[in-house]
Amino acid sequence: MKILVLNSGSSSIKFKLLQMPLEKMICSGMVERIGYEDAILSIKKDEINIQETVPIKSHREGLSIIVSYLTHPEKGVIKNPQDIFAVGHRVVHGGDSFAETTLINGAVKDEINYYSALAPLHNPPNLEGIEIAEKLFPTAKQVAVFDTAFYQTMPVKARKYAIPNTFYTEDNIKVYGFHGTSHKYVSEKAIKYLGRETSKIISVHLGNGCSMTAIVNGKSVDHSLGFAPSNGLVMGSRSGDIDHSVIFHLVDGLGYSLNEVKQLLNKKSGMLGLTGSSDLRDIQAKAEEGDKNCQLALEMNAYRIKKYIGSYTAVMNGLDALIFTAGIGENSSLIRKLTCLDMDYLGIKLDSVKNEKRSNVLREINTDSSQVKILVIPTNEELEIAKQVFNLIS
Ligand code: ADP
């Protein structure tokens, strides 16, 4: 069964075509810079990498180009769109309506549209991707996999903000959580690896967006992102935790408009605001050359992760495994080292030699005497989506 996984964002569409249940990747790629004359189409198949700069005006055009590549008589991988049995769509916000992966119908689309108010950057392009895919793959089952679904198990005490109750009950202001597909995927791998019936796990997803989830027996009990994907850790260009009085001072005291503050905290802060770059590779290189801002930013980054490890270990009353995943978590031995430094009180002891080794499969990087397993687990959100789609429809 061929399943196409689509992640339709505001200016890009990422896709992966998988053969399920073999979990074999047939082809992957993306179109970026949709809306520009110099949009970029990249396709990866076996050892072949194609990259072309082409004008792509809209998501519809972007997805049509992807389909024409997939069905190309010589270079393509399927004969016609009917060969795709199902399309799995990543949908960022499903609010409280969706605790599970769901077959898409009109009512589901209405709900996704309803939650656009809470995820204005994500849900509208997700929905657009669904509507275009329905036209381009009319025989395929369309399935939505929600980033927020994994957090439906969080207790109310962790989901509710300490503001008047009606904002929770009537206005739906609460912690929704994000990166759920990634945290679910890596924590399930960890649970299998631990081979125990019960487990207390902290999953640390460090990409451009960063988040942490506390997971007891496979169910999330707390999470660092909140109502929107802006709380918690220091991210590529987002500040993470910040005293809300700063926002009032920026507006009332320093004369910034609310929109400027939004841009500032979401697009110009985090590692970018601290160092001038949001790419951790640049920051690490400059820190090595002695750049003080970069050195401090790396320390701040790891310090924030450490604080969350401490609080999640406390709320779970223990910790069996700490997972690092995504671009930074999988690749930056420095961030892992700074984070795990002086954590032996909590039973976390990093093996500095194992930490430096590279691999693209699950690996353990703790010392033999460490009470807590420290695991680096490559995430694969598309595979997780394909698995969930396959389970639903088979
Ligand atoms: P997203 O999916 O959220 O866009 P990724 O998971 O791809 O992000 O992670 C992007 C981050 O990973 C960037 O900050 C990048 O610098 C970092 N990264 C990628 N490779 C490495 C590496 N070898 N060493 C350190 N950081 C890396």
Side-chain angles (χ1 to χ4, degrees), residues 187 190-191 194 196-201 215-218 316 320:
S187 60
I191 290 167
L194 292 173
R196 310 169 34 147
E197 279 201 356
T198 60
S199 58
K200 294 173 180 173
I201 291 173
I215 302 158
V216 176
N217 302 334
M316 293 192 291
D320 298 313

Side-chain angles (χ1 to χ4, degrees), residues 109-225:
K109 285 194 281 182
D110 288 347
E111 284 290 289
I112 295 171
N113 187 35
Y114 173 78
Y115 288 111
S116 289
L118 303 186
L121 298 179
H122 296 97
N123 273 30
N126 295 161
L127 189 55
E128 197 181 356
I130 291 170
E131 289 182 331
I132 300 167
E134 284 175 332
K135 297 213 169 76
L136 293 176
F137 302 99
T139 58
K141 294 193 187 312
Q142 307 286 335
V143 179
V145 180
F146 297 93
D147 267 26
T148 43
F150 189 49
Y151 305 105
Q152 296 293 311
T153 52
M154 270 170 58
V156 177
K157 65 186 171 194
R159 292 199 75 191
K160 198 167 172 180
Y161 292 111
I163 54 177
N165 291 322
T166 52
F167 289 105
Y168 182 83
T169 51
E170 282 166 34
D171 299 309
N172 295 319
I173 295 178
K174 60 183 80 166
V175 170
Y176 286 104
F178 301 88
H179 296 144
T181 316
S182 173
H183 288 296
K184 184 171 190 304
Y185 178 80
V186 294
S187 60
E188 280 174 1
K189 290 242 164 200
I191 290 167
K192 218 170 178 186
Y193 181 77
L194 292 173
R196 310 169 34 147
E197 279 201 356
T198 60
S199 58
K200 294 173 180 173
I201 291 173
I202 297 176
S203 170
V204 187
H205 175 112
L206 305 174
N208 280 311
C210 301
S211 69
M212 290 175 57
T213 307
I215 302 158
V216 176
N217 302 334
K219 299 207 179 330
S220 88
V221 294
D222 206 344
H223 176 64
S224 65
L225 293 168

Side-chain angles (χ1 to χ4, degrees), residues 14 179 205-209 236 238 278-282 284 325-329 331-333 358 379 381:
K14 294 184 189 157
H179 296 144
H205 175 112
L206 305 174
N208 280 311
R238 286 170 257 171
S278 61
D279 192 313
L280 200 86
R281 288 164 288 201
D282 299 343
Q284 288 184 164
T325 192
I328 295 169
N331 294 301
S332 174
S333 56
R358 296 194 143 267
T379 193
E381 287 163 287

